[in-house]
Amino acid sequence: MAGSKFAYVKNFELPDPLLPGTFMVLRVDGHAFHRLSEEHNFTKPNDERALQLMDHAARDVMNEFKDIVLAFGESDEFSFLFRKSTTLYNRRQAKILTTVTSIFTSSYVYNWPKYLPNTPLKYPPSFDGRIVLYPSAKDVRNYFSWRQADTHINNLYNTVFWALVLQGGETTTQAHATLRGTVSSTKHEMMFSRFGINYTDISPRYRKGSILVRMEIPPEPEADVEPASGKISEVIESGADPTSKPKTAKKNVKIRTFIELLHCDLIGDEFWEARPHLLSE
């Protein structure tokens, strides 16, 4: 396209490359989702349908960007881990951030009727996003451990809080006052003694969050097929030494992957040791 006298304005666009050789984590977070859950009568303390919708949107993002190897979601947020070697959009921060956030948001809105068919959207939900770079695999593990620990802390509080409101007859203000200053053991005892709730019996989806992992499908072994004559003919290039071994053409094997949904512990070593490719260089 030919330039014009106005093209100089492009010089004001500054480059925003992300530091190479670092792990990239992009987190999308619901904007004002407290209001959204109230306006659309989400089940308290957890709405299975809404969480499944979040998982769907995250899966759509991972299907679009193959360099995302891991995603973790809780409540109204999802964190995506890119391969350390990713060169997506030349690692341009604004391009990556806006595209991922917009795909997640559009998927969430588009698939809303599938998960909440009897709850029409009253207004468009929105998400914000941020990218954080981490220098080491240890930092990445600690980041996801932080998010899963946050999931447990929030869910424990919300579970006993809504038990006090919905079963105990307290107002939200009274429930907050009842729980002020309590430790985890006190919350567990309160749930069990007053409401018969054993926290360990609650779905791991709520206690552990959602983990989406990109797993590789091992390639199928190629069958050895011999010609009908039983002889193998070799094509020798012109000018080649007939006594030398023929060159074997290398095939570019395209690795296929699938996305697995888990609700398990990722703070311990077992999860990461079973999936070393997630943090490979």
Side-chain angles (χ1 to χ4, degrees), residues 5-216:
K5 66 178 182 180
F6 308 112
Y8 78 92
V9 297
K10 188 173 177 60
N11 296 328
F12 290 94
E13 297 181 17
L14 299 179
D16 61 344
L18 293 163
L19 187 68
T22 55
F23 291 99
M24 184 193 311
V25 175
L26 190 158
R27 184 167 77 247
V28 295
D29 200 352
H31 174 67
F33 257 55
H34 178 76
R35 176 196 168 201
L36 183 84
S37 64
E38 292 293 335
E39 291 276 352
H40 296 89
N41 297 314
F42 281 11
T43 303
K44 305 296 185 181
N46 295 289
D47 194 304
E48 177 81 11
R49 307 162 303 166
L51 293 174
Q52 290 177 351
L53 176 56
M54 290 287 293
D55 293 347
H56 189 127
R59 187 184 293 272
D60 281 350
V61 170
M62 292 185 71
N63 284 331
E64 181 70 21
F65 300 106
K66 307 305 180 185
D67 275 358
I68 297 177
V69 294
L70 176 69
F72 177 80
E74 60 156 320
S75 185
D76 63 342
E77 73 170 50
F78 244 100
S79 299
F80 299 94
L81 172 65
F82 288 78
R83 300 182 194 277
K84 189 175 184 180
S85 59
T86 185
T87 56
L88 177 66
Y89 299 136
N90 293 320
R91 294 180 72 96
R92 291 159 55 196
Q93 179 172 352
K95 183 78 170 182
I96 297 171
L97 183 59
T98 55
T99 306
V100 170
T101 305
S102 64
I103 290 176
F104 189 95
T105 304
S106 61
S107 175
Y108 187 91
V109 174
Y110 181 80
N111 291 291
W112 176 283
K114 177 179 179 180
Y115 294 93
L116 295 98
N118 301 316
T119 308
L121 267 174
K122 297 181 180 180
Y123 63 90
S126 61
F127 293 83
D128 62 50
R130 72 211 67 184
I131 294 177
V132 182
L133 301 180
Y134 294 98
S136 71
K138 177 183 177 182
D139 294 319
V140 172
R141 282 191 53 173
N142 286 340
Y143 171 83
F144 284 99
S145 296
W146 168 52
R147 299 321 302 143
Q148 188 166 72
D150 186 73
T151 303
H152 161 69
I153 293 170
N154 288 338
N155 187 66
L156 177 61
Y157 186 94
N158 289 335
T159 300
V160 64
F161 173 85
W162 286 107
L164 289 168
V165 173
L166 300 177
Q167 300 178 49
E170 295 188 9
T171 65
T172 55
T173 301
Q174 290 171 332
H176 281 305
T178 300
L179 295 175
R180 188 174 297 118
T182 58
V183 296
S184 294
S185 58
T186 305
K187 294 182 179 71
H188 281 282
E189 174 61 27
M190 188 181 300
M191 281 191 294
F192 188 76
S193 62
R194 294 185 58 177
F195 308 108
I197 301 174
N198 188 334
Y199 189 73
T200 58
D201 293 337
I202 294 174
S203 170
R205 170 187 283 279
Y206 307 143
R207 295 183 290 111
K208 303 290 186 180
S210 291
I211 305 167
L212 291 170
V213 187
R214 187 178 301 282
M215 300 297 294
E216 297 181 353

Side-chain angles (χ1 to χ4, degrees), residues 233-249:
S233 61
E234 297 176 356
V235 178
I236 300 177
E237 298 178 3
S238 176
D241 183 357
T243 62
S244 63
K245 294 182 180 180
K247 295 180 180 179
T248 303

